[in-house]
């Protein structure tokens, strides 16, 4: 019996179960946050691209972060809004797998970029005399390549793990977008490999990133305490604080979402879906704000480019 015949041609995204009557109202803040994220990250990319004085590793990593944020939100939000506004919940099997791939791919890539930014601050503060030799344009380009390759190698197997499953006509996904386990749970077969791979491999990679970031900032903190000048300590602390805020904005919602899915069975399903939607909106929305407000160079260049172009 050909199991591929049990693969549905299309899936149906159900939105937020139990809150269908509120979809239009929910779409208003979601659309506003998405447009603000597009504007904020677009401004960051434009300013870094046009101002040669910002062509340094820290700002190049920031531009990579903005691209990853745009990918994370754009992969999910337009289809989500189409579902809310026009009840266009139908999505082909191939398109669903593509959305799943780019959703998890952008998350993994952003984690690598945040690690690279932490290592950049570590070298700048702990080994300032070696900074120019270590953090070259070539090193930044290689970091971007590593982010792409690692994310691809981790996430691409999920596509094959899902394509091998029979779905027996089950095609309604109680979510606003396609994600790995949401698709796998529709299968009428053993999905233990999907559960093991989907939890262990990406989660282990993200945990390694978090541990390395934590180690970097412990070493940075120890180095800051040894600086003789209070002014130098304050300047270095201000440089790192915006990055720490971005790290917290990215990892805390992600881990909270994962843990509530695994251990929060008492939490209503629509709360899980709302949290998952906010997770793809908050980091892209707030990252440009954090860097724009807390980084003096970004503020100055934004004023120069948009307010006082002369």
């Amino acid at each position: 019996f050909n199991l591929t015949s049990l693969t549905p041609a299309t899936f149906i995204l159900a939105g937020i179960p139990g809150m269908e009557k509120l979809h239009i109202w929910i779409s208003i803040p979601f659309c506003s946050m998405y447009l603000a994220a597009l504007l904020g990250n677009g401004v960051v990319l434009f300013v870094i691209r046009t101002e040669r004085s910002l062509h340094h590793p820290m700002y190049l990593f920031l531009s990579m972060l903005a691209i990853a944020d745009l990918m994370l939100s754009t992969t999910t939000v337009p289809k989500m809004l189409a579902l809310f506004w026009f009840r266009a919940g139908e999505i082909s099997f191939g398109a669903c797998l593509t959305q799943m791939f780019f959703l998890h791919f952008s998350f993994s890539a952003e984690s690598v970029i945040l690690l690279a930014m932490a290592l950049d601050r570590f070298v700048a503060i702990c080994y300032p005399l070696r900074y120019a030799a270590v953090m070259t344009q070539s090193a930044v380009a290689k970091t971007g390549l590593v982010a792409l390759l690692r994310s691809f190698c981790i996430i691409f197997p999920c596509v094959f793990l899902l394509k091998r499953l029979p779905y027996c006509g089950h095609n309604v996904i109680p979510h606003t977008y396609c994600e790995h386990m949401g698709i796998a749970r529709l299968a009428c077969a053993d999905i233990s490999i999907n559960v093991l791979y989907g939890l262990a491999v990406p989660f282990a990679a993200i945990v390694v990133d978090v541990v390395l970031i934590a180690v970097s900032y412990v070493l940075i903190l120890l180095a800051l305490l040894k600086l003789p000048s209070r002014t130098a300590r304050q300047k270095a602390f201000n440089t790192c604080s915006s990055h720490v805020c971005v790290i917290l904005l990215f990892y805390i919602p992600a881990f909270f979402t994962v843990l509530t899915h695994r251990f929060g069975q008492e939490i209503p399903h629509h709360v899980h879906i709302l949290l998952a939607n906010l997770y793809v909106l908050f980091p892209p929305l707030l990252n440009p704000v954090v860097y724009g407000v807390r980084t003096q160079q970004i503020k100055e260049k934004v004023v120069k480019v948009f307010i006082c172009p002369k």
Side-chain angles (χ1 to χ4, degrees):
F1 184 64
N2 188 3
L3 289 178
T4 58
S5 65
L6 298 177
T7 300
T10 60
F11 284 120
I12 305 296
L13 295 170
I16 306 176
M19 302 185 71
E20 289 83 1
K21 294 181 180 180
L22 299 175
H23 277 178
I24 291 293
W25 297 105
I26 294 170
S27 71
I28 296 173
F30 281 11
C31 181
S32 301
M33 286 189 284
Y34 177 59
L35 293 176
L38 290 180
L39 176 62
N41 287 286
V43 167
V44 168
L45 287 171
F46 179 78
V47 169
I48 294 174
R49 174 70 180 83
T50 55
E51 286 294 322
R52 294 189 62 84
S53 61
L54 296 180
H55 291 182
H56 296 296
M58 185 175 77
Y59 301 107
L60 295 177
F61 287 136
L62 179 56
S63 65
M64 292 182 192
L65 186 69
I67 292 171
D69 278 337
L70 289 174
M71 184 188 299
L72 180 65
S73 57
T74 302
T75 297
T76 55
V77 178
K79 181 62 179 177
M80 184 196 309
L81 294 177
L83 167 64
F84 288 164
W85 291 341
F86 311 114
R87 298 183 180 178
E90 189 172 291
I91 184 171
S92 70
F93 182 72
C96 192
L97 292 185
T98 301
Q99 186 185 56
M100 180 278 302
F101 172 79
F102 281 105
L103 169 70
H104 298 306
F105 176 88
S106 56
F107 176 81
S108 176
E110 188 158 341
S111 183
V112 177
I113 294 166
L114 289 174
L115 172 59
M117 295 173 79
L119 295 177
D120 172 76
R121 292 299 86 206
F122 167 72
V123 176
I125 292 171
C126 298
Y127 301 99
L129 298 180
R130 300 183 190 176
Y131 182 79
V134 174
M135 302 305 297
T136 61
Q137 297 280 347
S138 174
V140 174
K142 289 176 182 177
T143 300
L145 185 61
V146 167
L148 294 176
L149 289 177
R150 193 196 79 164
S151 302
F152 181 85
C153 292
I154 289 175
I155 305 304
F156 196 63
C158 293
V159 175
F160 292 100
L161 289 175
L162 291 172
K163 289 188 74 172
R164 72 182 178 87
L165 294 172
Y167 294 90
C168 306
H170 302 153
N171 68 338
V172 178
I173 301 176
H175 210 307
T176 55
Y177 54 77
C178 299
E179 50 92 21
H180 178 227
M181 288 311 301
I183 302 172
R185 288 192 185 100
L186 297 180
C188 53
D190 181 21
I191 62 168
S192 56
I193 295 177
N194 293 73
V195 173
L196 182 62
Y197 186 90
L199 183 65
V201 178
F203 193 73
I206 300 303
V207 168
V208 169
D209 292 344
V210 171
V211 170
L212 292 175
I213 289 171
V215 170
S216 298
Y217 271 96
V218 168
L219 296 175
I220 287 171
L221 182 60
L222 293 175
L224 288 178
L225 295 175
K226 294 178 182 178
L227 290 176
S229 169
R230 182 178 178 181
T231 303
R233 285 199 302 270
Q234 187 66 36
K235 183 178 179 181
F237 178 78
N238 288 338
T239 303
C240 295
S241 60
S242 56
H243 184 230
V244 171
C245 290
V246 168
I247 290 171
L248 295 177
L249 286 172
F250 180 72
Y251 285 114
I252 289 177
F255 281 118
F256 184 75
T257 300
V258 170
L259 292 174
T260 53
H261 267 290
R262 297 295 297 177
F263 306 109
Q265 285 78 15
E266 296 83 9
I267 300 176
H269 189 60
H270 66 271
V271 175
H272 286 294
I273 306 301
L274 283 172
L275 289 174
N277 289 331
L278 292 175
Y279 153 71
V280 300
L281 280 166
F282 269 173
L285 170 67
L286 296 177
N287 287 351
V289 176
V290 169
Y291 271 102
V293 170
R294 299 191 64 86
T295 307
Q296 188 65 29
Q297 293 90 334
I298 295 288
K299 278 197 295 188
E300 290 175 354
K301 299 307 178 184
V302 169
V303 171
K304 177 183 175 182
V305 172
F306 293 101
I307 300 177
C308 304
K310 294 182 180 181

